[in-house]
Amino acid sequence: MFATFFLERDPMSWADLPLAVQSWLQNAGGVAALAVALWCISWTVQNRGRVNPFAAYPAFVVPAALAGVCYLIVVLLFAGKVLGMSFVDDLLPTTAGALRASAGDWLLTLGGLLALAAVVGPIAHAFAMRIRWGRIWAIARLSVKEAVRNRVVLLFAAMAIVFLFADWFVPYKPEDQVRNYVRVVYWSMTPLFLMTASLLGAFSIPTDVKSQSIHTIVTKPVEKFEIVAGRFLGYATLLSVGLAAVAGLSLIYVVRGVNPDAARESYKARVPIYGQLTFSGTKSMYEGESVGREWGYRWYIGGPVLESAKMPRQYAIWSFADLPRDMARVDETSSEDPKLRSVPFEFTFDIFRLNKGEENKGIYCTFVFMDGRLSIPDLERVQKAAYEERSQLQTKASTQIADPSERQKRLKAIDEELVRKYGLFEAPGFEVTDYHTQTLRVPSHLFERLAELEKERPREGLPGEEAPPMMRVVVSVDHTSPTQMLGVARRDLYILAAEQPFWINFLKGILGMWCTVLLVLGVAIGCSTYLSGIISWLCTVFLFGAGLFKDSIRQLAEGQSPGGGPLESAYRVFTRTSQGAPLDQSPTASLLQGGDDVYRWWMRRFLNLIPDVSRHDLHQYVANGFDISWGQVLLTDNLIPLVGYLLPWGILAFYLMKFREIANPR
Amino acid sequence: MADQDVVVETRKLTKIYRDFWGRQKKVALRALNLKVYRGEIFGLLGPNGSGKTTTIKLLLGLLFPTDGDALVFDQPAAEVRKNERIGYLPEESYLYRFLNAEETLDFYGRLFKLDAATRRKKAAELIELVNLGADKKRILKEYSKGMRQRIGLAQALINDPELVILDEPTSGLDPLGTRWMKDLIVNLRNQGKTIIMCSHRLEDVQDICDRVAILNEGELQELGSVRSLLEDVQRLELRASGVQLNEDLRKDLESVLAKHGGVIEFIGHPTTTLEDLFLRIVAQSKAHPGRRYLPEKAAAKPVEVKDSSTHVSR
Ligand SMILES: Nc1ncnc2c1ncn2[C@@H]1O[C@H](COP(=O)(O)OP(=O)(O)OP(=O)(O)O)[C@@H](O)[C@H]1O
Ligand SMILES: [Mg+2]
């Protein structure tokens, strides 16, 4: 496998949140609205003459009615479109991924919000008036006692076996030691805890119903949802304690006797600052060369092949919009006497060889760290000027200063002067090795200079363009390595802003696992409020399994394939139209395409049912020594989505339980 | 009892069990109209499958009526808050088998939001009441059927309920336990609680119930006070002591009855019931361990069972 850290997608950030909340409201609210509508219809049909129990809650009736109005308007908009009124086109809901802002979108969002308010109203009322934590806690304690007395906790001891024997089966290169230990721990803990969570969750309530022990509980002044909440709380507590204990032991297992190679690679928690990756001299700004390798994660740049061909030089450029103040720190490993202050940059690149041989040799590259206001044409000019000035000054210094140590000092001073003057630091001829984390330290005076420039003149883009970044890092392959290509991705190069201790990061990674455990527990208990134990468990396993492949399922479902959706594809087969060809504009064809749109729309709704479990798998961070940030990774990418996913399950569980005939299981 | 408080009322209560697809499986209860008044012991009688348990579950909100209403304390049966005032002993005591008696009562006490001191006090009292003091630290898995029934009853009384609903309270109990249970039920009634119980053991119902409803195939067959239902106005019973049966006595009695237009159907010495005999044997073996039972010569005295003050007298 690749010994480097890569993420298939960026963790959700605060900026993504509004869009996520909007689509959450539309989806969860849509389901709520549908449920309310069906409920009202079936109540009216089945119980003519009786009073709907919800009619008593104004908190239900008012928002439900308003939500109905919103959805009605949307329906009217679509009706208007069908009737050929062109002015509704701008008002219709859009399906684009950007923050949507048409009137239809707002109506859908508002309708969803109101429908949710309608279904949450009675729940909130119950919580305020009748649901008591004392009883939930009593049921939670009962669940823990049950699990402990049934020796479920012995399962956790199974981890000890992994610790005892894993070393026999896991061979590793010294530098991969920590990485492999972390993987062993995660890949044994995760199934163990998920299995426990799903079994406990799926079988607890159904077993109570079957054994009828739930009868003595619901005939006490217990709200049925208190049983659900109590079970969840109890098992969550038990699993959290178990997880904490096993995580503590695992940590000891991982950290004992870390060898120095492994420590350098991953026995730490890097706090990286990532830039944006663009290219110059390639096909387009966002694409490098493709070498038909891997799965498109990396783009490649090559060295200057033939100077005479006048091909533009290929550059990979990382732009850093804003840099935090004062990142520079003393380099502890430096051998120089007054230790230099510098900013470390780390990178891990892939090398692609156009010719065989020289397997173990690296590839020579030039790294330029420069003021973001300089463009690539500027770069080549400034580079040249700085080069000339440097050689002039250097010649002068070596002829004028006899004392070697004085001369050394002077040479250094020249470097510093030039960095300040041109706002550019160059590291030429750096040997990059394949898939190794390497470091370049950039002297602090470049950053001092950048900060000064920031004050002197504000960065302003051309009209209609974004402001240039504060800093760029430009990487190119030297002409000494003409037959090699350098594979780069956005996260391959970063500023190492700080380093945190490994153990904290390890425990943060466990928090991701904790989220998964809670997710599985919640789904299992949610299913079990209606389904039997075994069916609940199978549903949970199915949903989790689907969650592992959510991205592939999404691609399938959304039909990005050139043949279109299932109906269109079938039509193409039937009419022998090839996949790429445009479809004739017959009414049949457009009807089928419309059908496919509906299908895709439903698939997208359905996809929301599938939990995004891979986002909670944080072991890549830990194994490769990257800090899991509290804010972006843990809060916005783990906790908030978890709550967003479990909340609808909770609402569903409330109603399923409330309207369940406890003594008449189906 | 006509103008007393109504504790439980059913109006045309109907329950039809349906399968998943909504097809009708069984009409378990058909348009039941009942009123249960405060302070009485109300018996539901009927053969197996006649809908007794179904009625009770409807009253508790464990089942939802297909039609009609079930009102308990003037509230619909589905209302949770009424449970504050109800105690329920299920047909079989389905309690958590991994808890011991004390923990069981503590758990149910928590559901009523009793504080720790009250819970401890109540648990101790109830364990004493149901005679489980020696076994209170054993988990319920190890309990016998009778012991489970006792802890089930204790659980039903934890909140000092006004209405106690008992589904077959005497099932699985030995005659001693049955008598104990019956005494306890009467005792609860005497404390002013209302009791609804169902059973198909007619003698139990006859012994203690004030009023009974007889169900068959989900339909109400008979409803009224036990005395009025059982009273046989065509016949007369007479008991006497101090005499032995002989021809003279028989002749005298016949002539007296003939004067009033009656005839003797039966005359002879009464036999005791097996229950009485059993209770006497157990009581004697407790008093004189190791001795074989000696039948008493004197006329049968009422047997002393543990709590004589509540002894059934009917
Ligand atoms: N969940 C159920 N689904 C279908 N039918 C049921 C269900 N529960 C009970 N019944 C049926 O309803 C009828 C009444 O049952 P119920 O349990 O009320 O009888 P019961 O009078 O309590 O009998 P027993 O004396 O045996 O306890 C029976 O015919 C039974 O088969
Ligand atoms: Mg029954």
Side-chain angles (χ1 to χ4, degrees):
Chain A
M1 269 309 289
F2 301 103
T4 95
F5 178 55
F6 80 95
L7 292 171
E8 292 197 12
R9 65 170 151 68
D10 285 342
M12 194 162 86
S13 69
W14 286 113
D16 302 327
L17 214 54
L19 186 64
V21 169
Q22 189 195 34
S23 87
W24 185 85
L25 280 177
Q26 289 187 0
N27 289 314
V31 174
L34 198 69
V36 168
L38 288 177
W39 161 260
C40 288
I41 292 171
S42 85
W43 182 269
T44 325
V45 171
Q46 285 187 358
N47 300 281
R48 272 155 296 169
R50 273 210 244 180
V51 186
N52 186 323
F54 286 117
Y57 293 105
F60 173 79
V61 175
V62 175
L66 289 177
V69 172
C70 290
Y71 286 110
L72 191 67
I73 299 177
V74 174
V75 170
L76 288 179
L77 287 179
F78 275 105
K81 182 184 158 74
V82 172
L83 295 178
M85 294 185 228
S86 56
F87 69 93
V88 296
D89 279 357
D90 292 342
L91 302 177
L92 280 177
T94 52
T95 44
L99 188 57
R100 305 156 203 179
S102 82
D105 292 322
W106 283 113
L107 278 172
L108 278 185
T109 313
L110 187 65
L113 183 68
L114 287 165
L116 277 174
V119 296
V120 170
I123 300 181
H125 185 261
F127 262 94
M129 305 305 293
R130 300 198 298 273
I131 291 185
R132 293 288 169 267
W133 286 106
R135 286 194 292 263
I136 294 181
W137 185 235
I139 292 166
R141 278 172 44 115
L142 181 84
S143 316
V144 172
K145 236 179 217 170
E146 179 168 26
V148 170
R149 300 228 167 134
N150 291 338
R151 311 216 166 76
V152 170
V153 277
L154 280 187
L155 266 179
F156 301 150
M159 274 303 286
I161 300 173
V162 176
F163 297 150
L164 285 177
F165 300 110
D167 279 6
W168 295 1
F169 303 104
V170 191
Y172 54 82
K173 291 189 282 184
E175 68 196 38
D176 287 339
Q177 183 200 31
V178 171
R179 220 170 253 148
N180 280 334
Y181 278 176
V182 168
R183 282 189 186 135
V184 166
V185 164
Y186 272 70
W187 286 346
S188 41
M189 269 172 87
T190 309
L192 182 80
F193 275 90
L194 293 187
M195 207 43 110
T196 316
S198 58
L199 288 174
L200 284 177
F203 283 93
S204 66
I205 293 177
T207 310
D208 268 13
V209 170
K210 211 167 168 185
S211 76
Q212 308 197 7
S213 40
I214 201 168
H215 292 190
T216 42
I217 293 188
V218 294
T219 51
K220 305 280 181 279
V222 173
E223 288 290 327
K224 287 182 200 154
F225 188 66
E226 286 172 342
I227 299 173
V228 180
R231 287 292 182 184
F232 183 79
L233 186 68
Y235 292 138
T237 310
L238 179 79
L239 289 165
S240 307
V241 171
L243 197 60
V246 176
L249 285 178
S250 315
L251 186 61
I252 296 173
Y253 165 80
V254 173
V255 304
R256 84 215 134 98
V258 176
N259 71 46
D261 281 343
R264 209 171 310 120
E265 282 277 317
S266 47
Y267 189 58
K268 55 177 114 179
R270 302 172 175 90
V271 181
I273 297 176
Y274 294 107
Q276 289 301 329
L277 175 61
T278 50
F279 296 90
S280 168
T282 56
K283 273 186 296 207
S284 93
M285 193 173 155
Y286 300 105
E287 288 173 39
E289 304 292 333
S290 167
V291 294
R293 184 205 236 197
E294 286 180 34
W295 56 105
Y297 180 69
R298 285 195 165 80
W299 290 111
Y300 290 78
I301 54 171
V305 187
L306 281 170
E307 292 287 12
S308 57
K310 286 281 176 223
M311 292 264 283
R313 191 136 180 216
Q314 295 191 331
Y315 293 104
I317 306 153
W318 281 266
S319 308
F320 296 88
D322 293 291
L323 295 178
R325 217 166 265 282
D326 207 30
M327 292 178 298
R329 52 187 186 274
V330 169
D331 176 14
E332 298 294 343
T333 55
S334 149
S335 55
E336 292 182 43
D337 199 18
K339 288 193 187 322
L340 265 181
R341 277 162 49 80
S342 58
V343 175
F345 280 71
E346 284 195 343
F347 44 86
T348 312
F349 293 136
D350 174 37
I351 295 175
F352 185 75
R353 291 185 171 76
L354 296 175
N355 62 344
K356 290 275 159 216
E358 310 181 84
E359 269 299 322
N360 291 319
K361 264 190 74 184
I363 160 173
Y364 290 92
C365 296
T366 295
F367 289 72
V368 179
F369 303 82
M370 64 182 195
D371 178 9
R373 275 167 273 223
L374 300 176
S375 64
I376 294 299
D378 289 339
L379 163 70
E380 283 166 4
R381 187 171 45 73
V382 174
Q383 224 175 353
K384 208 165 157 202
Y387 180 77
E388 277 163 12
E389 189 168 347
R390 176 182 286 113
S391 30
Q392 260 176 28
L393 290 173
Q394 278 175 347
T395 339
K396 214 160 109 196
S398 45
T399 48
Q400 285 175 353
I401 306 170
D403 177 31
S405 73
E406 281 299 310
R407 190 186 324 142
Q408 210 54 42
K409 260 192 203 150
R410 174 66 192 138
L411 288 177
K412 251 181 159 175
I414 292 172
D415 281 347
E416 192 174 329
E417 256 168 51
L418 290 172
V419 166
R420 283 180 177 279
K421 178 168 176 189
Y422 292 98
L424 176 146
F425 171 81
E426 193 176 337
F430 188 93
E431 184 180 357
V432 173
T433 40
D434 202 9
Y435 279 129
H436 264 82
T437 309
Q438 292 172 291
T439 313
L440 252 175
R441 298 193 152 261
V442 180
S444 59
H445 31 263
L446 175 68
F447 296 90
E448 286 155 19
R449 177 66 190 144
L450 290 178
E452 282 167 25
L453 280 169
E454 199 73 350
K455 285 213 191 83
E456 282 165 19
R457 52 192 165 108
R459 283 178 276 137
E460 269 168 10
L462 298 170
E465 275 181 31
E466 274 181 46
M470 190 159 166
M471 179 191 195
R472 284 194 230 261
V473 179
V474 181
V475 179
S476 56
V477 179
D478 290 355
H479 56 77
T480 45
S481 309
T483 56
Q484 323 243 15
M485 296 189 92
L486 187 69
V488 295
R490 182 168 103 77
R491 286 175 182 273
D492 281 355
L493 181 144
Y494 49 87
I495 303 174
L496 187 57
E499 280 183 20
Q500 306 277 343
F502 172 82
W503 66 272
I504 296 182
N505 206 38
F506 181 85
L507 296 181
K508 283 183 188 167
I510 297 289
L511 283 181
M513 197 188 291
W514 182 75
C515 288
T516 321
V517 169
L518 290 194
L519 186 141
V520 165
L521 181 66
V523 172
I525 291 184
C527 289
S528 78
T529 53
Y530 186 72
L531 303 169
S532 73
I534 184 74
I535 303 289
S536 309
W537 187 75
L538 288 175
C539 278
T540 312
V541 170
F542 171 78
L543 279 176
F544 185 85
L548 289 176
F549 301 102
K550 188 167 183 177
D551 286 332
S552 333
I553 297 178
R554 172 175 292 133
Q555 274 168 17
L556 259 172
E558 299 195 340
Q560 270 109 356
S561 56
L567 291 177
E568 188 182 329
S569 306
Y571 181 72
R572 281 178 191 277
V573 172
F574 186 71
T575 57
R576 309 217 172 93
T577 320
S578 78
Q579 293 227 322
L583 222 52
D584 52 352
Q585 282 308 303
S586 69
T588 327
S590 43
L591 191 72
L592 289 178
Q593 277 169 334
D596 278 345
D597 283 345
V598 173
Y599 160 81
R600 280 189 205 118
W601 189 87
W602 273 110
M603 277 318 275
R604 272 201 299 276
R605 297 302 90 109
F606 174 71
L607 274 172
N608 287 304
L609 199 68
I610 299 177
D612 192 351
V613 290
S614 53
R615 71 164 7 115
H616 302 300
D617 176 7
L618 303 179
H619 90 274
Q620 290 278 13
Y621 288 89
V622 182
N624 294 298
F626 282 84
D627 183 55
I628 299 168
S629 63
W630 286 110
Q632 193 176 358
V633 178
L634 281 178
L635 183 65
T636 51
D637 199 46
N638 274 270
L639 226 48
I640 292 180
L642 176 71
V643 172
Y645 183 75
L646 284 187
L647 213 57
W649 277 100
I651 297 172
L652 187 73
F654 179 91
Y655 285 105
L656 286 180
M657 205 63 185
K658 186 178 170 72
F659 296 117
R660 178 167 186 176
E661 228 178 348
I662 292 291
N664 191 13
R666 293 205 159 132
Chain B
M1 296 190 170
D3 42 271
Q4 270 183 327
D5 286 0
V6 176
V7 174
V8 170
E9 182 174 2
T10 66
R11 297 183 196 136
K12 295 201 176 150
L13 189 62
T14 303
K15 180 65 193 177
I16 299 173
Y17 287 107
R18 295 179 187 280
D19 68 3
F20 182 79
W21 309 108
R23 287 177 306 199
Q24 184 167 327
K25 263 200 306 200
K26 173 82 198 170
V27 184
L29 202 58
R30 192 169 287 157
L32 178 70
N33 288 311
L34 274 186
K35 273 186 185 165
V36 178
Y37 301 101
R38 185 174 301 280
E40 67 173 342
I41 302 178
F42 188 91
L44 279 170
L45 262 174
N48 289 137
S50 57
K52 305 182 295 288
T53 303
T54 303
T55 311
I56 284 184
K57 286 179 174 168
L58 284 163
L59 293 179
L60 288 163
L62 287 171
L63 292 173
F64 303 148
T66 312
D67 198 7
D69 298 293
L71 298 174
V72 181
F73 299 121
D74 283 331
Q75 295 171 34
E79 177 59 54
V80 171
R81 258 169 294 186
K82 72 174 198 318
N83 293 351
E84 296 272 5
R85 301 151 75 186
I86 296 180
Y88 168 54
L89 173 70
E91 195 162 1
E92 272 174 51
S93 282
Y94 306 106
L95 301 176
Y96 289 98
R97 296 159 67 86
F98 54 88
L99 297 176
N100 65 32
E102 272 185 336
E103 289 169 328
T104 303
L105 295 182
D106 184 73
F107 169 65
Y108 290 107
R110 278 170 192 271
L111 298 184
F112 284 102
K113 298 188 53 65
L114 305 178
D115 60 63
T118 320
R119 285 202 305 270
R120 224 171 302 128
K121 199 170 122 263
K122 274 252 113 170
E125 276 173 25
L126 287 169
I127 286 174
E128 185 58 34
L129 180 73
V130 300
N131 282 328
L132 284 172
D135 303 298
K136 65 183 179 190
K137 296 281 182 207
R138 291 171 63 195
I139 58 168
L140 267 52
K141 202 191 285 181
E142 301 170 359
Y143 275 20
S144 74
K145 175 87 207 298
M147 289 159 87
R148 280 211 285 273
Q149 197 77 354
R150 283 156 187 267
I151 186 67
L153 185 73
Q155 162 276 133
L157 298 177
I158 188 103
N159 55 330
D160 205 3
E162 289 170 45
L163 171 64
V164 186
I165 298 180
L166 307 167
D167 196 344
E168 313 240 349
T170 54
S171 81
L173 293 180
D174 60 18
L176 202 64
T178 307
R179 174 56 71 79
W180 166 84
M181 181 67 89
K182 290 197 282 191
D183 288 347
L184 201 125
I185 293 171
V186 171
N187 208 0
L188 290 173
R189 194 258 323 263
N190 293 345
Q191 290 168 24
K193 299 185 196 307
T194 312
I195 288 119
I196 297 176
M197 58 176 277
C198 73
S199 182
H200 40 223
R201 289 179 43 180
L202 307 176
E203 68 282 7
D204 294 352
V205 176
Q206 184 184 348
D207 276 355
I208 60 172
C209 287
D210 297 312
R211 290 198 307 138
V212 291
I214 299 173
L215 293 175
N216 190 32
E217 291 286 317
E219 279 184 89
L220 183 65
Q221 307 290 338
E222 195 72 71
L223 173 70
S225 81
V226 173
R227 192 181 295 265
S228 69
L229 287 180
L230 296 187
E231 201 173 47
D232 185 352
V233 287
Q234 308 293 319
R235 290 183 174 73
L236 186 74
E237 201 174 278
L238 177 139
R239 265 178 215 213
S241 54
V243 285
Q244 293 270 323
L245 180 64
N246 57 41
E247 267 316 294
D248 286 348
L249 181 64
R250 173 185 274 269
K251 285 221 173 85
D252 288 351
L253 286 173
E254 268 174 358
S255 68
V256 170
L257 288 172
K259 213 164 98 189
H260 292 275
V263 292
I264 290 178
E265 282 183 0
F266 166 81
I267 185 164
H269 291 288
T271 51
T272 179
T273 59
L274 199 53
E275 182 187 4
D276 271 344
L277 178 69
F278 181 89
L279 293 176
R280 230 176 299 150
I281 293 174
V282 174
Q284 220 186 65
S285 93
K286 264 198 191 136
H288 311 279
R291 211 172 80 179
R292 263 196 73 171
Y293 172 67
L294 297 171
E296 288 170 58
K297 284 281 150 7
K301 280 188 294 180
V303 181
E304 296 288 313
V305 190
K306 210 181 147 274
D307 192 354
S308 62
S309 66
T310 65
H311 181 66
V312 181
S313 54
R314 193 173 281 280

